[in-house]
Amino acid sequence: QVQLVESGGGLVQAGGSLRLSCAVSGRTLSSYDVGWFRRAPGKEREFVAASRWRGPVTLYADYVKGRFTISRDNAKNTVYLQMNSLKPEDTAVYYCALRAGQGAYDYWGQGTQVTVSS
């Protein structure tokens, strides 16, 4: 059974930082692409960042580029999202996801809330 468990969310002031973690079980992280997504209240889910297992290659949405960093520790089967210079518009539920190949992500976590106050 595949499980992805996010943690590290919380309330932070604008300009602050948070580090999200995503612990993966049931699959070997080193063989999967991993992504972070978010859903703000009343909005569609959107892409934040991804780390491809081949490369290594990292991708970022323009609205987080230069502020967020995705990383993985394959030995710990854990993915991280370091978020710096947070803005109120970063407020959302953040989800991590895995995929084995191209296309849609196969497995999703339950999400962790990030709230940035102005």
Side-chain angles (χ1 to χ4, degrees):
Q1 183 179 358
V2 182
Q3 276 196 313
L4 285 70
V5 179
E6 301 96 335
S7 61
L11 174 64
V12 64
Q13 288 190 329
S17 298
L18 283 174
R19 189 176 81 153
L20 305 184
S21 299
C22 174
V24 178
S25 60
R27 289 293 183 272
T28 302
L29 182 62
S30 59
S31 299
Y32 286 79
D33 292 348
V34 60
W36 283 98
F37 296 79
R38 69 187 185 187
R39 188 193 302 269
K43 294 187 177 182
E44 298 289 319
R45 186 175 64 201
E46 62 184 9
F47 169 77
V48 174
S51 170
R52 294 185 176 165
W53 69 275
R54 286 186 180 180
V57 175
T58 55
L59 302 168
Y60 296 93
D62 286 344
Y63 36 82
V64 304
K65 201 172 293 183
R67 300 188 298 123
F68 290 12
T69 303
I70 187 172
S71 62
R72 61 167 77 201
D73 186 334
N74 289 334
K76 294 183 178 179
N77 239 34
T78 301
V79 185
Y80 304 98
L81 185 68
Q82 178 66 43
M83 306 187 296
N84 298 329
S85 302
L86 283 161
K87 305 175 181 180
E89 52 263 44
D90 294 319
T91 295
V93 178
Y94 283 72
Y95 302 88
C96 65
L98 292 184
R99 70 177 183 187
Q102 302 289 334
Y105 281 76
D106 304 296
Y107 307 105
W108 292 82
Q110 83 291 346
T112 185
Q113 175 71 47
V114 171
T115 303
V116 184
S117 63
S118 56

